[in-house]
Amino acid sequence: MIAIRFPGFLARASRLAGLAIVGVSLTAAAAFADDPVIHDPLLPVHELRPASGGWYQPNSNLGNINFDLSDTGVAAGNWSTYKDGKPVWYYFQGQIQYTADAELGASGVIASVESPLASVVDGSGCLTCEYTPQQLVPTGDNFRIEFTSSRTGRFIFKGNTFPIVAWMQGAPLIAERDYSGDWLAVARFDSAQPAVSRTRHLEAIAHVRLEPLDGPEQYRFTATSMNPQESDKPSPGARRYRVTCVGPEKPCSMLSGGYGSQTIIQGPESMFMMLWIGRDEVGGSLFAEEDGDEGYVIMKENVSFRAYAERDRVSLRVSYSVESSSGTYEVILHRLPEGLFDGQYWQPLYWDRNF
């Protein structure tokens, strides 16, 4: 097997491509490289983006919100609603603010946007009338949207809050997405040790497969020193998957180092990585084993990974902070086209390196 080192290029390329990984453990990270060097600053987690397009609230008079999200994070669009019994259209443009990972766990908000509204005056009176340019006039009102996943959020206007959902992004309009299939797992680990003024960055790429789990929705936890929460197990109706690492051994092993007593892809004997995605496209992952006809036993010895699904990408992440160091594990799964791999790999490549 060939080991290749890419001095700086891979990190820059992966950041430009929006690739990152969560879930490599301290034990695994230490195994990747024996002589870490200083790397500053500590890399932030990849932003979690809301879906572009139409959003609405099916049981209210909110109307429809449509926006596009630029590469620079500007949300521009319009809101069609009602005022004094008549339809009105407002336009807006605002900068998306992505939530820091440390705040995400407390607020549940992945991103937000706030913008003044402008209404249209003048303009042509009909489709076939002579064209007259429209004029946009500020209304003096602002609105705010807080996104809690790629397809759910809260629309806040004049003290009123409306739950909203993205059009064509799942229930209630169409069937929920199936995330089974082959994926490219791009993983990274960042840690900081202030006492010795040192940071570390490690990364790996592997081919993984998600297979649906159809067992009973019943769960119990192994003996644990931690206090399991409801968020540490799949929510009712969540789509559940068994995650397995396929392909060359070395990249897979780099995703399989111990995180405390658990590993990333290849769990302890008899256990496997369970990934679940709820109806709001938010979920998590922990290690589990089948419990006969009783459902699943879930191991809860460490903090669980949070999962955020966005069409053909699933982001997994977990952060830790102890007295001597802090860090983030991030894994982003990118869906692979069906039939891209037939199991015959040309040349297994892997890397272990530091900055």
Side-chain angles (χ1 to χ4, degrees):
M1 191 169 291
I2 300 174
I4 295 182
R5 295 179 183 270
F6 300 89
F9 168 77
L10 180 62
R12 292 193 296 272
S14 63
R15 287 196 291 273
L16 290 173
L19 306 180
I21 293 190
V22 172
V24 184
S25 71
L26 291 175
T27 304
F32 287 359
D34 296 327
D35 300 308
V37 296
I38 295 175
H39 175 250
D40 188 53
L42 197 64
L43 296 178
V45 293
H46 187 273
E47 65 270 8
L48 301 168
R49 296 164 62 94
S52 295
W55 291 68
Y56 82 130
Q57 213 294 327
N59 301 312
S60 76
N61 298 321
L62 177 66
N64 300 305
I65 304 158
N66 290 275
F67 67 87
D68 195 13
L69 187 59
S70 73
D71 291 340
T72 56
V74 175
N78 63 80
W79 171 29
S80 58
T81 185
Y82 301 91
K83 182 178 181 180
D84 300 326
K86 297 180 181 180
V88 292
W89 287 265
Y90 297 113
Y91 291 83
F92 60 85
Q93 178 174 301
Q95 184 72 40
I96 287 281
Q97 301 295 323
Y98 294 105
T99 306
D101 192 60
E103 303 171 10
L104 178 58
S107 69
V109 175
I110 66 169
S112 62
V113 61
E114 191 166 344
S115 172
L117 295 169
S119 61
V120 176
V121 298
D122 300 326
S124 303
C126 67
L127 177 64
T128 57
C129 297
E130 181 180 354
Y131 173 72
T132 302
Q134 296 179 337
Q135 301 294 321
L136 290 177
V137 177
T139 65
D141 295 321
N142 283 36
F143 79 95
R144 176 180 174 85
I145 300 178
E146 296 177 346
F147 300 99
T148 51
S149 76
S150 63
R151 62 170 294 271
T152 58
R154 299 186 288 264
F155 183 87
I156 304 169
F157 181 66
K158 290 186 174 181
N160 299 301
T161 299
F162 301 87
I164 55 176
V165 63
W167 283 24
M168 307 306 290
Q169 298 292 315
L173 293 183
I174 60 175
E176 294 175 327
R177 283 194 182 86
D178 179 12
Y179 290 97
S180 61
D182 288 11
W183 297 73
L184 180 69
V186 187
R188 62 96 175 186
F189 163 69
D190 275 305
S191 69
Q193 296 175 284
V196 293
S197 301
R198 185 172 67 182
T199 61
R200 170 183 281 180
H201 175 85
L202 302 163
E203 55 195 36
I205 293 178
H207 175 191
V208 301
R209 183 165 296 143
L210 273 58
E211 300 173 309
L213 289 172
D214 299 322
E217 292 190 52
Q218 299 179 43
Y219 312 95
R220 64 182 178 87
F221 292 94
T222 58
T224 174
S225 58
M226 300 187 71
N227 182 26
Q229 306 294 320
E230 282 299 308
S231 58
D232 292 324
K233 64 181 181 180
S235 55
R239 290 148 287 174
R240 301 170 301 170
Y241 302 93
R242 178 192 296 265
V243 183
T244 56
C245 199
V246 297
E249 176 184 351
K250 186 62 177 183
C252 288
S253 67
M254 297 181 85
L255 292 176
S256 303
Y259 178 55
S261 60
Q262 79 180 47
T263 56
I264 308 310
I265 300 297
Q266 299 169 353
E269 186 177 358
S270 80
M271 305 198 89
F272 63 91
M273 179 180 180
M274 176 189 287
L275 168 69
W276 64 89
I277 304 295
R279 290 170 175 165
D280 58 357
E281 304 302 283
V282 175
S285 70
L286 276 174
F287 283 88
E289 64 179 335
E290 296 181 2
D291 190 19
D293 296 330
E294 302 299 321
Y296 300 93
V297 177
I298 297 177
M299 184 172 70
K300 178 60 178 173
E301 296 295 340
N302 302 92
V303 292
S304 57
F305 299 127
R306 303 189 304 274
Y308 302 88
E310 325 169 41
R311 290 183 178 269
D312 293 329
R313 181 171 65 185
V314 179
S315 301
L316 303 172
R317 62 175 58 169
V318 64
S319 298
Y320 74 91
S321 180
V322 295
E323 183 177 349
S324 59
S325 66
S326 60
T328 296
Y329 306 102
E330 187 172 20
V331 179
I332 294 187
L333 306 179
H334 292 264
R335 187 187 292 276
L336 295 172
E338 186 176 354
L340 180 64
F341 290 114
D342 61 2
Q344 301 298 315
Y345 290 85
W346 171 56
Q347 203 173 55
L349 301 180
Y350 68 91
W351 49 93
D352 57 43
R353 64 173 189 69
N354 287 276
F355 291 89

